[in-house]
């Protein structure tokens, strides 16, 4: 018998159970909640601090959740989805999750590994044709760990790139430009954060599965976990059903939704950062990572994503789509951030303690790490 069959069966049982849960979350996300081990006073203090932060930073809006063992201690939308119409942020309002799309992509890839459909050591050149000679040794694992040697982005001032940005485009148009990019180092030698690498990874996953990569994520994650808001961003900007992007300018905070050229969205939606989802669905993702309830089979699978990593220039390690390190208290900390001109987000986890913090903001220069550190210390530091 194929050794992957039992794992596939276990995962599918977990997926089926997850579908039942996704139909009725019962989270009560509209108000703060306190578990018995936490004092309401600490959550009230956290709520006041977050609201004051929004005021002091002139932030439009924030969706925030603090979780213990997959259960929200606090989950709430604060402020506005857009400064013009002042639509309130709720737990169901979509945000652009920017580079949180990267660990999402690696979660789907790891499920494919478990079922024998993907090998981490597989060469990119086996899946994408006409790659440069210096790229022939690049593996899918190196793309996931940013060690392929690829630069962060294409040169956006390149006339050929500039010609793409006023319109929508696809892989057949951006791939020739990507192939021209020189490597910063030989594959496997150094960690260089690369959006290009994740665009190529998404393309490779799609080719392995025989369908667009966003459909792979929908089948393997969104549908089984009941993540009904999760989607790939549309080619044409439109924010009527989601938080709008904002930027700080000399005259104040400005909604920049109408300013994004279609080509920017096409590039982000190629794999490096194109997904949108709500706080409610981010919580569902955390539940799968934590192995909460019927999602128990997922935990052992996803823990492999940060079981080992490569050193980064910032001093921590990067696994498969996730940063990780031991914090000063010795606790394993796993996280990723994402930022665009109009959004800034962070997903931070302490898996050994079952703790997680999710911050989704619709302002480009919002610093979620600073706010997250203050909030988690407020609730958890005394119980570290």
């Amino acid at each position: 018998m194929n050794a992957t069959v039992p794992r596939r069966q276990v995962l599918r049982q977990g997926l089926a159970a997850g579908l039942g849960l996704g139909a009725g979350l019962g989270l009560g996300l509209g108000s703060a909640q306190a578990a018995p081990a936490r004092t309401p006073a600490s959550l009230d203090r956290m709520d006041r601090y977050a609201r004051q932060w929004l005021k002091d930073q002139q932030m439009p809006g924030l969706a925030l959740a603090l979780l213990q063992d997959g259960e929200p201690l606090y989950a709430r939308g604060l402020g506005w989805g857009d400064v013009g119409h002042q639509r309130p942020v709720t737990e169901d309002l979509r945000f652009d999750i920017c580079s949180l799309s990267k660990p999402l992509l690696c979660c789907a890839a790891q499920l494919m590994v478990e079922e024998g459909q993907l090998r981490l050591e597989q060469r990119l050149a086996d899946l994408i044709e006409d790659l440069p000679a210096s790229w022939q040794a690049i593996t899918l694992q190196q793309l996931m760990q940013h060690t392929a040697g690829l630069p962060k982005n294409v040169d956006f001032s390149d006339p050929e790139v500039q010609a793409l940005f006023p319109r929508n485009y696809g892989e057949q148009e951006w791939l020739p430009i990507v192939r021209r990019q020189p490597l910063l180092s030989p594959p496997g030698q150094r960690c260089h954060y690369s959006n290009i690498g994740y665009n190529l990874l998404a393309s490779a996953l799609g080719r392995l599965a025989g369908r667009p990569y966003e459909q792979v994520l929908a089948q393997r994650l969104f549908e089984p976990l009941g993540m009904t808001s999760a989607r790939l961003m549309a080619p044409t900007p439109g924010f009527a059903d989601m938080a709008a992007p904002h930027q700080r300018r000399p005259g104040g905070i400005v909604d920049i939704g109408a300013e994004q050229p279609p080509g920017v969205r096409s590039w982000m939606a190629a794999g490096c950062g194109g997904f949108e989802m709500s706080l409610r669905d981010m919580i569902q993702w955390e539940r799968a990572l934590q192995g909460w309830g019927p999602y128990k089979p997922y935990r052992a699978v996803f823990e492999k994503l940060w079981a080992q990593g490569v050193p980064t220039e910032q001093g921590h390690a990067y696994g498969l789509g996730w940063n990780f390190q031991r914090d000063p208290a010795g606790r394993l900390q796993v996280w990723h951030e994402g930022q665009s001109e109009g959004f800034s987000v962070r997903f931070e986890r302490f898996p050994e303690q079952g703790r997680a913090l999710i911050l989704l903001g619709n302002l480009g220069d919002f610093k979620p790490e600073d706010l997250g550190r203050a909030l988690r210390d407020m609730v958890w530091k005394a119980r570290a």
Side-chain angles (χ1 to χ4, degrees), residues 334-351:
V334 179
W335 77 97
H336 211 290
E337 282 192 351
Q339 188 172 41
S340 67
E341 287 188 346
F343 293 92
S344 193
V345 299
R346 184 175 175 90
F347 189 5
E348 184 174 343
R349 311 184 64 250
F350 291 85

Side-chain angles (χ1 to χ4, degrees), residues 206-258:
R207 294 184 184 209
L208 278 169
R211 58 188 181 279
Y213 87 98
E214 63 270 22
Q215 294 180 19
V216 176
L217 267 67
Q219 181 194 36
R220 294 187 172 274
L221 290 172
F222 304 154
E223 294 168 7
L225 300 181
M227 297 166 65
T228 57
S229 75
R231 68 184 184 189
L232 192 66
M233 63 169 57
T236 303
F239 301 93
D241 63 346
M242 64 176 292
H246 296 80
Q247 198 172 74
R248 198 183 306 274
R249 298 219 172 130
I253 303 298
V254 178
D255 181 339
I256 62 168

Side-chain angles (χ1 to χ4, degrees), residues 179-194:
R179 288 191 186 103
R180 299 202 318 261
Q181 306 307 308
L183 296 186
L184 302 178
S185 62
Q189 284 198 2
R190 293 183 58 192
C191 185
H192 304 281
Y193 189 88
S194 178

Side-chain angles (χ1 to χ4, degrees), residues 320-342:
L320 304 178
W322 294 88
N323 300 287
F324 68 96
Q325 65 182 3
R326 293 281 172 179
D327 74 359
R331 299 168 299 189
L332 177 64
Q333 181 184 18
V334 179
W335 77 97
H336 211 290
E337 282 192 351
Q339 188 172 41
S340 67
E341 287 188 346

Side-chain angles (χ1 to χ4, degrees), residues 325-333 350 352-353 355 376-377 380-384:
Q325 65 182 3
R326 293 281 172 179
D327 74 359
R331 299 168 299 189
L332 177 64
Q333 181 184 18
F350 291 85
E352 295 169 345
Q353 286 75 38
R355 299 170 177 174
R376 73 169 190 257
D377 286 353
W380 282 323
K381 189 170 185 179
R383 301 175 183 272

